[in-house]
Amino acid sequence: MNVARNPGEKAPANERIYVFKEIYQPLGAGEAADQAGRCLSCGNPYCEWECPVHNYIPNWLQLVQEGKLFEAAELSHKTNSLPEICGRVCPQDRLCEGACTLNQGGFGAVSIGSVEKYITDTAYEQGWRPDMSRVVWSDKKVAIIGAGPAGLGCADILVRNGVKPVVFDRYEEIGGLLTFGIPEFKLEKEIVARRREIMEGMGVEFRLNTEIGKDISIEDLLRDYDAVFMGMGAYKYMKGGFEGEELPGVLEALPFLINNIRQKLNTLPAGEAPQSMKGKRVVVLGGGDTAMDCNRTSVRQGAKSVICAYRRDEANMPGSKREVANAKEEGVQFLWNRQPVGIKQNADGTLALTLVTTRLGEPDEKGRRRAENVPGSEEVIECDHVIIAFGFQAEAASWFDAQGIKTDDWGRTVAPATQTLKYQTSNPKIFAGGDQVRGADLVVRAVYEGRQAAEGILEFVGVW
Ligand code: FAD
Ligand code: SF4
């Protein structure tokens, strides 16, 4: 209790706003051991329960404290396929660290996420690789559609159980939104590339630049593989439904973020111009992680000003509190309780965005209080770009009907966790997990579902 919480030194805002680099510095061995030593080893570790993959947190903290790094790496991979990535991008304040007993009395939670990333980062540097020596290989192979967290979680469990996973993705790199969504100031792309190297070393095969339904048919996969897992994410862009959304200068969040990432990766497709907010007045609409990433990407591109407008108050924002705080430090101005009602183009091509003030009414079906417009509260904001970040929904692929795959009213694939073969869809040979099944959510939950679905698949193909 004499040792303070230390999640890793944070780069000062006036330096980090110029670079696309992770803002938290890694912990050194001494710092990691000190943080691990802060764990009270609660009899009932609440952190484990709140962690969606139920990591053995107190156990690997103890191994770190004892300097047993390779053992800690093996143990952390028993429950999580992407520990160094979750350690970076999980909203720990809502999950493991939010449940840490040290929060009571104001001691500050153990920096669980930072220690989790330290374990794999450092063990890898020292030569650790997953122990595959006891794997007994079967003759089964499974096609995985989507190399995002769900697909990677599924591949990890399959390959550790001797089943060959072949992962198909339409993009040129693995990671799904880890690569083509989440910006480098939260997750540098070398970390995802390193995970690819680890997984290829384990026997996972990736076939990239390959879209199922276009380059290869689902029928081909069903013919050539013993089972199929779909982790195709949720990509249907949610619109605001107000006038002016189609105007030039009004941008969708994800293409904007991907364009920026591809500029850094040097993989912009021929014909796609690099986009920049340099010198522009930007307004971002939305209050989730995607909105925060658009705010902070615009800042780093040199925007003249960045305003983020959200229809509820700060306490009811869906995004990580840590990322909102980081955005504020980086100069983003927040307008809470504001709803967009229309955008017009001025004669000089700039935009006039009309917002109304909202007040919070009765809770909606998710328990969050509805935002109601206050009559006569309109205000107009002059700007150069509006970026719309209202989120994404899952949707059925063109081949779902022919394959008998059911979706619900929200476009989510029906693949229940609570059935004999976990995450099996209404087509017995096809399983699914991640955002495609839950709707847009978190990396760690997608990893969990991919891993759980792999267990269903292992039973289905007769390996378990
Ligand atoms: P995805 O990551 O979307 O991966 C799906 C993959 O399937 C993609 O690579 C796609 O190309 C591929 N695919 C789809 N259809 C086909 C096809 N027909 N053929 C071949 N390939 C196909 N979560 C956090 O926990 N922390 C964060 O900080 C965070 N920040 C975010 C920031 C942004 C901008 C966004 C959009 C999301 C963020 N999330 C965050 C949410 C998180 O990224 C997702 O919940 C997670 O990536 C879902 O994993 P998935 O594997 O289900 O889907
Ligand atoms: Fe915490 Fe996420 Fe790691 Fe679980 S996976 S211990 S929630 S950082």
Side-chain angles (χ1 to χ4, degrees):
M1 286 186 180
N2 296 328
V3 180
R5 170 180 160 79
N6 174 15
E9 200 183 322
K10 187 158 66 160
N14 61 353
E15 290 175 14
R16 66 181 195 247
I17 56 171
Y18 300 109
V19 287
F20 285 92
K21 289 189 96 41
E22 285 180 17
I23 71 170
Y24 293 96
Q25 305 310 308
L27 296 178
E31 291 171 312
D34 281 350
Q35 279 306 298
R38 296 180 70 234
C39 176
L40 300 176
S41 302
C42 313
N44 186 351
Y46 302 107
C47 54
E48 274 189 30
W49 290 107
E50 288 302 320
C51 166
V53 289
H54 306 305
N55 272 335
Y56 302 124
I57 299 168
N59 305 65
W60 45 245
L61 287 174
Q62 188 169 347
L63 289 169
V64 168
Q65 207 190 348
E66 293 167 0
K68 295 178 180 161
L69 197 57
F70 282 22
E71 285 98 322
E74 281 299 323
L75 185 63
S76 105
H77 281 79
K78 288 248 184 297
T79 48
N80 194 350
S81 306
L82 308 174
E84 75 289 12
I85 291 172
C86 291
R88 285 171 164 85
V89 303
C90 271
Q92 285 102 7
D93 49 2
R94 284 198 267 141
L95 303 173
C96 54
E97 294 180 11
C100 178
T101 309
L102 280 179
N103 287 321
Q104 292 164 24
F107 292 102
V110 174
S111 313
I112 298 170
S114 305
V115 177
E116 191 178 20
K117 85 175 173 183
Y118 162 84
I119 293 172
T120 300
D121 286 356
T122 316
Y124 179 88
E125 272 168 24
Q126 295 182 9
W128 168 86
R129 298 294 180 273
D131 180 7
M132 301 290 284
S133 58
R134 270 174 255 150
V135 173
V136 181
W137 290 98
S138 71
D139 61 351
K140 306 292 180 196
K141 55 186 173 120
V142 171
I144 295 178
I145 313 174
L152 298 180
C154 183
D156 183 33
I157 293 295
L158 291 177
V159 79
R160 285 173 188 271
N161 284 278
V163 170
K164 173 85 182 167
V166 181
V167 187
F168 297 86
D169 202 293
R170 61 185 172 186
Y171 285 144
E172 66 272 22
E173 247 314 328
I174 76 156
L177 289 169
L178 301 175
T179 301
F180 300 102
I182 298 178
E184 300 234 45
F185 47 82
K186 279 161 55 181
L187 174 64
E188 287 173 13
K189 301 311 157 204
E190 290 78 20
I191 305 297
V192 186
R194 188 179 68 190
R195 184 46 66 175
R196 175 175 174 182
E197 190 195 312
I198 294 175
M199 295 193 80
E200 284 176 336
M202 295 165 76
V204 178
E205 185 178 331
F206 292 104
R207 297 208 193 148
L208 303 176
N209 293 310
T210 308
E211 184 168 339
I212 305 307
K214 188 170 141 219
D215 303 309
I216 296 182
S217 71
I218 186 73
E219 289 78 11
D220 287 343
L221 295 187
L222 289 166
R223 184 194 60 224
D224 296 341
Y225 293 85
D226 297 288
V228 173
F229 173 77
M230 302 187 296
M232 303 194 298
Y235 286 94
K236 188 174 169 196
Y237 171 67
M238 283 163 72
K239 293 188 150 224
F242 48 80
E243 183 198 352
E245 269 185 288
E246 316 300 333
L247 285 170
V250 181
L251 307 175
E252 293 181 17
L254 197 54
F256 165 67
L257 292 172
I258 294 178
N259 180 288
N260 182 69
I261 289 164
R262 285 198 164 130
Q263 288 181 50
K264 311 282 167 257
L265 293 176
N266 255 328
T267 58
L268 264 186
E272 185 176 332
Q275 205 145 41
S276 172
M277 295 296 152
K278 193 168 172 47
K280 308 284 187 197
R281 297 161 303 165
V282 181
V283 181
V284 176
L285 301 177
D289 284 330
T290 307
M292 292 319 118
D293 291 348
C294 291
N295 287 324
R296 300 173 67 202
T297 296
S298 303
V299 167
R300 282 163 176 74
Q301 287 188 346
K304 188 173 173 193
S305 64
V306 181
I307 294 175
C308 181
Y310 177 57
R311 66 196 166 130
R312 293 190 176 89
D313 59 9
E314 186 167 3
N316 282 284
M317 279 185 93
S320 157
K321 294 200 173 8
R322 178 186 61 197
E323 301 310 328
V324 176
N326 287 335
K328 282 185 186 170
E329 285 173 14
E330 291 169 10
V332 175
Q333 186 195 338
F334 283 87
L335 293 178
W336 313 113
N337 297 102
R338 298 298 202 293
Q339 176 97 307
V341 288
I343 309 173
K344 288 203 163 54
Q345 191 164 36
N346 300 317
D348 62 357
T350 60
L351 301 172
L353 164 71
T354 304
L355 299 172
V356 290
T357 302
T358 60
R359 63 179 158 229
L360 294 182
E362 292 303 307
D364 63 15
E365 61 283 352
K366 287 185 180 160
R368 283 192 308 167
R369 293 174 66 195
R370 276 176 222 280
E372 295 166 357
N373 294 352
V374 176
S377 63
E378 284 81 3
E379 64 190 302
V380 175
I381 298 192
E382 300 292 336
C383 56
D384 301 296
H385 283 288
V386 175
I387 303 176
I388 299 186
F390 290 152
F392 308 92
Q393 273 183 6
E395 61 183 335
S398 57
W399 32 270
F400 275 21
D401 279 348
Q403 293 305 329
I405 301 169
K406 289 194 186 130
T407 53
D408 68 11
D409 292 347
W410 294 92
R412 297 175 299 193
T413 302
V414 177
T418 52
Q419 57 185 10
T420 318
L421 294 180
K422 290 181 277 190
Y423 294 95
Q424 189 179 42
T425 68
S426 36
N427 180 323
K429 205 174 174 182
I430 305 181
F431 293 69
D435 281 5
Q436 182 181 342
V437 168
R438 301 183 65 84
D441 196 10
L442 292 178
V443 170
V444 62
R445 292 210 180 97
V447 170
Y448 179 74
E449 293 198 345
R451 293 171 63 93
Q452 290 284 300
E455 294 183 3
I457 293 171
L458 288 168
E459 280 192 55
F460 177 76
V461 300
V463 168
W464 270 16

